[in-house]
Amino acid sequence: MSLNTKQSVRCPQCGQMSDITVWDSITVKDSPDLKADLLAGKANIFHCPSCSYTALMPNPLLYHDEEKRLMISFSPCGDGADAQRLFTDICETSRKSGELKQFEGYNLRFISDYNELLEKILIFDNDMNDKAVEVIKLMILTQEPEKVQNRICRFGKAENGNIEFMVQDREEGQIYTSNVPIETYNIIWTQLRETGVKPYSFNWEMVNADYAARLLNGFNN
């Protein structure tokens, strides 16, 4: 069941008070329209009717797609240390409560970045696993190692036998595209599973560039 709360929010720019519906959880099976709103950048986004100021609400969101066997815990957080603390807390709480037994065979993801949340949903909607996708993204970025620190790579779309990635260069202020054959994804995902990487989770996971780097260095889950 998708759950929400009603909040009155004061615009930080003009001071106007507005009522907003904030979604605490989205269950795709029950609310496909909410998933569409989320992907369109409408869910949990504050938009001031007075001055048009727009911002992401700082509320956690639990996303559950039973068909894709995917659950995402999203906690907006811009600080890496705070994100790690929240991740540790959810892992411990889930382990102690025994709730993980309800989600055997699921991919459980903890995310603190809004764009990454949308990206994960798109990856699994395309019947891919983000572990292999993160490895490909890292391989794309390291083609120009001197620019890695200033670039972000995101999954774009998969069509016509190719996967399109968007590479944003924050220093140059440019966005580039990189196309990778879907067969490359299939090969990498097969190789990862052969090394012991599981297509499901035992607990919550943060699957990102750091995770991909550990995979390439011989770590597996």
Side-chain angles (χ1 to χ4, degrees):
M1 178 183 296
S2 299
L3 302 173
N4 66 63
T5 56
K6 307 294 184 180
Q7 296 186 20
S8 292
V9 179
R10 183 183 299 278
C11 176
Q13 182 163 282
C14 72
Q16 175 74 33
M17 294 296 298
S18 302
D19 293 330
I20 181 174
T21 298
V22 177
W23 291 96
D24 305 304
S25 66
I26 293 177
T27 302
V28 174
K29 181 180 179 180
D30 300 330
S31 311
D33 55 328
L34 283 177
K35 175 185 176 180
D37 284 347
L38 180 63
L39 291 174
K42 297 178 181 179
N44 288 8
I45 300 294
F46 170 73
H47 182 78
C48 179
S50 178
C51 70
S52 299
Y53 174 83
T54 301
L56 173 69
M57 293 295 291
N59 301 71
L61 170 69
L62 187 65
Y63 176 90
H64 181 197
D65 189 332
E66 185 177 354
E67 179 183 348
K68 298 296 182 182
R69 310 289 283 177
L70 173 67
M71 182 169 285
I72 300 174
S73 176
F74 171 56
S75 292
C77 180
D79 183 84
D82 287 344
Q84 184 61 50
R85 176 181 55 79
L86 291 170
F87 173 63
T88 300
D89 288 346
I90 191 175
C91 287
E92 281 299 302
T93 300
S94 294
R95 183 183 60 81
K96 291 179 180 178
S97 69
E99 67 179 9
L100 293 172
K101 293 180 181 178
Q102 305 174 42
F103 303 111
E104 292 183 1
Y106 264 72
N107 277 289
L108 305 174
R109 299 290 183 265
F110 175 84
I111 292 172
S112 59
D113 179 83
Y114 181 72
N115 289 322
E116 186 178 352
L117 166 66
L118 304 185
E119 179 188 40
K120 294 293 184 193
I121 294 171
L122 290 176
I123 291 171
F124 283 94
D125 275 359
N126 280 275
D127 296 320
M128 297 180 181
N129 191 285
D130 57 337
K131 294 177 180 179
V133 171
E134 288 295 335
V135 169
I136 295 174
K137 287 165 57 178
L138 186 58
M139 293 170 65
I140 291 172
L141 290 175
T142 52
Q143 289 176 355
E144 296 184 88
E146 72 281 0
K147 297 183 179 181
V148 168
Q149 296 302 317
N150 296 316
R151 290 185 169 183
I152 297 175
C153 184
R154 296 286 186 200
F155 175 91
K157 60 184 178 181
E159 62 181 16
N160 300 323
N162 287 299
I163 309 172
E164 182 180 88
F165 292 88
M166 312 301 294
V167 180
Q168 178 185 7
D169 192 304
R170 290 167 292 188
E171 183 176 14
E172 298 176 0
Q174 298 289 328
I175 295 179
Y176 306 93
T177 60
S178 179
N179 290 294
V180 175
I182 289 179
E183 183 58 28
T184 299
Y185 164 85
N186 293 333
I187 292 171
I188 290 175
W189 184 221
T190 298
Q191 292 174 340
L192 290 177
R193 284 180 296 170
E194 288 175 349
T195 65
V197 173
K198 299 296 187 295
Y200 49 82
S201 303
F202 298 104
N203 202 333
W204 294 94
E205 298 179 280
M206 282 198 293
V207 177
N208 49 27
D210 290 339
Y211 180 93
R214 294 198 301 273
L215 285 181
L216 291 178
N217 286 325
F219 159 86
N220 64 54
N221 64 341

